[in-house]
Amino acid sequence: MGNLVFRQLKALFLASWKESMAYRFDMLVSIFVSPIFFGVQYIVWGSVFGNTTGMIAGYTFSSMMQYFALSFLTAFIIWDETAWAIAERVKSGDYMLQLLKPISANRWYFFSKLGNRALATLVEFVPVLFIFWFLFGIPLFSDVTRLPWYGASIALSFVLLYQVQFLMGMVSFFVVKADGLRRIVVWTLPFFSGQYFPLALLPVWIGNLFAVTPFPWIVFSAISVYLGGMTLGSLHLVPMEILGVQLAYCAALGVFNWAVYDLALKRYSGVGA
């Protein structure tokens, strides 16, 4: 039984990889777009740091640039559109076909994402990493002792973002017009997760509000793990503590999603079928 499940998941991973190859040009665009956006950040923050004593919210210019470079690289690995995929199937009525598959929906979407992001690591992550190294001189991953921590945090961020996306997809089972809510979450998530700027720059009371949501534990936490620690509101955490919080959120959302999915299937009526 276990061997059968493994073969099914392996086939799903490879199928997702091959399907993503058809859209590899969309991924290649990142090689050109990401350095341009990073270059803007480099110029803006260079000017900001040029008018200060050298540190802002605990960041030097070098560590700030590492932060933004890592935010791009982290996003390449964990990017997710599970909510959209589920919503489209529910809206069209095709989700009934999902229920006929020998693999659970949760596993199906997770391993589809895994295959897609594995390809993205080669097509987006690696080339852009070299651009950051050689074009901008950003000392990324120079401290190899931090790489295992960063890798563990990225893995948890990958799962956590998937859990959030899966939960947003479940909204489609309960609300006929769920696109508005889904778009609000998807569009604001990079802001709340720290992809656009370090959340340590926020006022303490806002940081404390963010800390109780799962969003800072997706991007900001992974980058903070590599940089050596995390400051958010009144929280000051070391890498091991950050990983613990990420793991707790992954477990909690996993259980919650299981319960919500069970309710969603009971309500499902094949909208659009």
Side-chain angles (χ1 to χ4, degrees):
M1 180 64 179
N3 192 39
L4 175 62
V5 172
F6 174 78
R7 290 201 303 269
Q8 290 174 338
L9 296 179
K10 179 182 177 182
L12 176 57
F13 174 89
L14 294 176
S16 177
W17 175 287
K18 292 177 181 178
E19 181 182 358
S20 299
M21 284 291 290
Y23 300 96
R24 60 188 179 277
F25 179 76
D26 294 339
M27 295 182 181
L28 288 172
V29 171
S30 300
I31 298 177
F32 303 98
V33 174
S34 298
I36 292 174
F37 279 103
F38 181 80
V40 172
Q41 298 284 3
Y42 192 94
I43 294 171
V44 170
W45 284 100
S47 176
V48 171
F49 275 93
N51 296 318
T52 67
T53 56
M55 294 194 71
I56 299 176
Y59 292 90
T60 63
F61 177 70
S62 177
S63 61
M64 184 68 78
M65 290 303 96
Q66 286 187 67
Y67 183 95
F68 282 109
L70 287 169
S71 73
F72 282 104
L73 298 175
T74 301
F76 291 152
I77 296 177
I78 70 173
W79 182 84
D80 198 308
E81 60 176 3
T82 299
W84 176 85
I86 294 175
E88 289 300 303
R89 286 202 169 191
V90 173
K91 186 165 59 176
S92 66
D94 290 343
Y95 199 83
M96 287 187 293
L97 300 177
Q98 179 71 58
L99 301 177
L100 299 177
K101 297 182 186 297
I103 302 175
S104 68
N106 208 328
R107 287 180 177 178
W108 176 273
Y109 287 108
F110 181 80
F111 278 88
S112 293
K113 172 184 177 177
L114 196 61
N116 176 271
R117 291 299 90 194
L119 178 62
T121 300
L122 294 178
V123 177
E124 296 178 299
F125 182 95
V126 174
V128 175
L129 173 61
F130 279 100
I131 291 173
F132 287 155
W133 270 344
F134 297 112
L135 183 60
F136 294 99
I138 307 300
L140 292 171
F141 307 133
S142 56
D143 187 351
V144 295
T145 62
R146 297 182 181 180
L147 286 179
W149 295 99
Y150 178 68
S153 187
I154 281 288
L156 292 172
S157 297
F158 185 96
V159 174
L160 185 54
L161 179 57
Y162 168 77
Q163 297 284 15
V164 171
Q165 285 276 338
F166 191 83
L167 181 60
M168 288 300 100
M170 293 300 99
V171 174
S172 302
F173 287 93
F174 300 93
V175 181
V176 176
K177 297 291 185 180
D179 289 349
L181 177 60
R182 177 174 56 82
R183 286 171 182 166
I184 289 174
V185 174
V186 171
W187 290 345
T188 59
L189 196 147
F191 174 85
F192 291 113
S193 66
Q195 187 174 334
Y196 291 156
F197 64 93
L199 298 183
L201 298 176
L202 294 171
V204 173
W205 67 274
I206 296 180
N208 288 335
L209 290 177
F210 275 39
V212 299
T213 71
F215 305 122
W217 309 99
I218 297 175
V219 176
F220 181 59
S221 58
I223 299 172
S224 298
V225 162
Y226 178 76
L227 294 179
M230 173 177 174
T231 297
L232 180 61
S234 57
L235 289 177
H236 303 281
L237 305 178
V238 297
M240 180 66 78
E241 294 170 327
I242 297 171
L243 293 176
V245 176
Q246 286 185 289
L247 183 60
Y249 264 109
C250 286
L253 275 179
V255 173
F256 186 69
N257 277 342
W258 178 82
V260 172
Y261 185 63
D262 187 55
L263 290 174
L265 290 184
K266 293 177 181 178
R267 289 180 58 91
Y268 181 53
S269 57
V271 178

